Amino acid sequence: MVIWTVANQKGGVGKTTTTVTLGGLLAQRGYKVLLVDTDPHASLTYYFGIDAEELEVSVYDIFIRGKDITSEQILQSLCPSGMDNLDILPSSMALATLDRSLGNKGGMGLMLKKALLKIEKEYDYVVIDCPPVMGVLMVNAIAACDRLLIPVQTEFLALKGLERMIATLALMRTSQKRDYAYTIIPTMYDKRTKASLEAYKELKAKYQDKVWSAVIPVDTKFRDASLAQTPPSEFASASRGVFAYNTLLTYLLQQAPESA
């Protein structure tokens, strides 16, 4: 089981779109995929028409039950996506209380990783969607991953969010004594605007080979797909945005040691 975490300490950069689209494309390629929503706002959960406020169990239970949670209980928390090979571990607004209730307890940073290991035989890939705030949830999501995917909108305010994200990785690298493979993904690119061109140029200059060599363009089909509560790969398979994500996925699948 390979785990990718999609994170950035700035909202509105395409994290949920990246999670859903890559998940849909992986499922279409025949992989068994689990999408995990660790954002209290539950954008990923609502994307698939799942009402986070009506759920009896969610990813929240992993943190509350801790090491005592069983693989059966985790699997019972899952929701179908409506697409073959693709399941959802939904979010809950109760996640917003975790930093206050559990943030100071020791050993909290690896709870999600340990839970996912209990169901590792069920899935080829797990893709985790993160909140844009540094805390227990983001630490867990990053600690669980084999590769971190960092979507960055090609505009200058988003570059500041990336700087915070890289600083967070440096802190985690020191505290956990492990390195983190990561890929920066330029998103919402509009070649007609100077802002996109200049931001992309700065990204490449500053982060070099950590930046994926292509871009995810602005594409209204992403919005239409979310309204239809369907992964873009299913809703508009021929769109330029899906084509770009397909190219990204091919690149990510080639990265060692992450082959399912």
Side-chain angles (χ1 to χ4, degrees), residues 165-236:
M165 193 71 245
I166 299 301
T168 294
L169 276 183
L171 289 172
M172 291 188 64
R173 185 181 300 119
T174 301
S175 65
Q176 298 186 4
K177 296 180 173 57
R178 62 161 283 195
D179 203 2
Y180 288 93
Y182 67 91
T183 299
I184 297 168
I185 304 167
T187 61
M188 304 180 188
Y189 182 77
D190 188 346
K191 64 182 180 181
R192 299 168 299 178
T193 67
K194 183 178 180 180
S196 273
L197 294 169
E198 292 296 324
Y200 180 69
K201 183 178 178 180
E202 182 168 331
L203 266 181
K204 293 292 289 182
K206 189 169 184 177
Y207 298 101
Q208 301 177 8
D209 61 343
K210 295 296 186 182
V211 182
W212 175 49
S213 60
V215 297
I216 304 298
V218 172
D219 190 342
T220 58
K221 294 296 184 183
F222 291 141
R223 188 185 308 116
D224 296 340
S226 68
L227 287 172
Q229 299 177 346
T230 305
S233 55
E234 287 275 283
F235 180 82

Side-chain angles (χ1 to χ4, degrees), residues 23-34:
L25 288 168
L26 281 166
Q28 283 183 338
R29 294 191 187 199
Y31 294 107
K32 194 76 169 67
V33 184
L34 176 64

Side-chain angles (χ1 to χ4, degrees), residues 9-156:
Q9 286 175 253
K10 184 183 185 305
V13 297
K15 292 189 297 297
T16 300
T17 297
T18 297
T19 303
V20 171
T21 309
L22 289 177
L25 288 168
L26 281 166
Q28 283 183 338
R29 294 191 187 199
Y31 294 107
K32 194 76 169 67
V33 184
L34 176 64
L35 303 185
V36 180
D37 191 352
T38 63
D39 189 344
H41 290 106
S43 295
L44 174 63
T45 301
Y46 284 114
Y47 187 105
F48 288 96
I50 304 164
D51 190 340
E53 296 182 28
E54 298 294 327
L55 295 172
E56 293 184 6
V57 288
S58 70
V59 71
Y60 178 71
D61 292 82
I62 286 175
F63 295 94
I64 296 304
R65 295 176 185 267
K67 64 181 180 181
D68 296 325
I69 195 167
T70 66
S71 59
E72 290 78 13
Q73 288 171 328
I74 297 169
L75 293 172
Q76 288 170 4
S77 302
L78 306 185
C79 297
S81 69
M83 181 178 178
D84 290 343
N85 298 324
L86 187 67
D87 294 329
I88 314 298
L89 179 51
S91 177
S92 163
M93 290 187 68
L95 287 174
T97 67
L98 286 182
D99 277 304
R100 184 174 65 252
S101 61
L102 301 176
N104 294 323
K105 289 188 177 181
M108 285 298 299
L110 296 174
M111 295 187 75
L112 181 58
K113 181 175 184 176
K114 291 176 180 178
L116 291 174
L117 286 174
K118 293 180 179 181
I119 59 169
E120 64 178 336
K121 293 182 180 179
E122 303 292 329
Y123 294 96
D124 300 308
Y125 281 87
V126 176
V127 189
I128 305 173
D129 193 19
C130 280
V133 179
M134 182 61 188
V136 167
L137 293 165
M138 184 181 286
V139 167
N140 266 268
I142 294 175
C145 77
D146 297 295
R147 176 168 293 271
L148 180 65
L149 308 182
I150 311 176
V152 181
Q153 183 181 358
T154 45
E155 58 95 14
F156 282 99

